[in-house]
Amino acid sequence: MTRARLNIFIEPEHAKRLEDFAAHRGASKSSVIAAALASFLSPDAMDQREAALAKRLDRLSRQFDRLERDQGVLIETVALFVRHYLTLALPVPEHQQEALRAQGRVRYTQFIEQLARHIQRGRSLVREVHEEIGPDFTGFVGKEGDPPSAAAEPTSGGDPSSTDEGDRP
């Protein structure tokens, strides 16, 4: 079998690794390169690389879908909270404002402490919401303009007339 002579240039680090590998295997550098090239160019190797790439892209796509779904839940949660708060918040007389600010600071501190404990335990409120809603829930992952799922609407509390779609923030 005749062979074609090639003069190639490789990085010094690759040359050192090739030399070490060939010495370890007791083979020539040419035979190691020929085997590596044959493996790289074989149709099976290409299929395997394409399959591995497709599998990775599928996994990334699923991760992106979960992130998009979770972001939708978070955005809807904040929007519903703001609407609920603005619907129920009453103007406060001047003489009570300082006491309410102090109470707000205490509540905020409690909120931050609870959030820190929740995060330290590794629990995810979004995951808990998804578990409560159920595995069939696919809301928030759709075409722009699709109405959010009814599962995101508040179930109790607040003014029932404030849940109309027209007054959404």
Side-chain angles (χ1 to χ4, degrees):
M1 171 160 117
T2 62
R3 294 182 177 188
R5 180 176 176 90
L6 296 176
N7 291 323
I8 61 169
F9 296 95
I10 61 174
E11 298 293 324
E13 179 184 318
H14 293 149
K16 175 70 173 131
R17 291 178 63 198
L18 174 61
E19 191 172 321
D20 292 346
F21 186 81
H24 179 71
R25 296 283 180 162
S28 68
K29 292 187 272 183
S30 291
S31 65
V32 171
I33 291 173
L37 190 57
S39 172
F40 184 79
L41 296 177
S42 76
D44 292 339
M46 289 177 145
D47 289 343
Q48 289 175 351
R49 283 192 299 273
E50 287 177 9
L53 183 59
K55 184 178 178 181
R56 173 96 169 124
L57 286 173
D58 287 343
R59 186 175 37 176
L60 288 171
S61 180
R62 286 190 307 273
Q63 288 174 339
F64 180 76
D65 288 345
R66 279 193 306 271
L67 286 171
E68 188 177 31
R69 178 198 65 199
D70 291 354
Q71 183 183 25
V73 169
L74 292 170
I75 289 169
E76 190 67 14
T77 301
V78 170
L80 288 172
F81 173 78
V82 168
R83 182 174 63 188
H84 178 75
Y85 174 79
L86 293 175
T87 301
L88 297 179
L90 300 173
V92 179
E94 191 74 33
H95 67 279
Q96 292 179 348
Q97 286 185 359
E98 191 55 42
L100 286 175
R101 282 190 190 103
Q103 185 181 28
R105 284 189 291 273
V106 168
R107 285 181 176 177
Y108 181 74
T109 302
Q110 291 170 343
F111 168 76
I112 294 298
E113 290 170 355
Q114 182 180 6
L115 178 64
R117 283 191 306 270
H118 201 82
I119 291 172
Q120 287 172 346
R121 287 188 214 132
R123 294 173 52 194
S124 167
L125 182 59
V126 172
R127 185 177 303 128
E128 289 176 16
V129 168
H130 287 301
E131 289 170 359
E132 287 179 19
I133 292 172
D136 297 335
F137 178 70
T138 58
F140 305 109
V141 181
K143 296 181 289 295
E144 190 170 311
D146 284 353
S149 170
E153 292 298 320
T155 56
S156 64
D159 179 6
S161 66
S162 69
T163 59
D164 292 338
E165 290 294 319
D167 65 351
R168 270 216 142 93

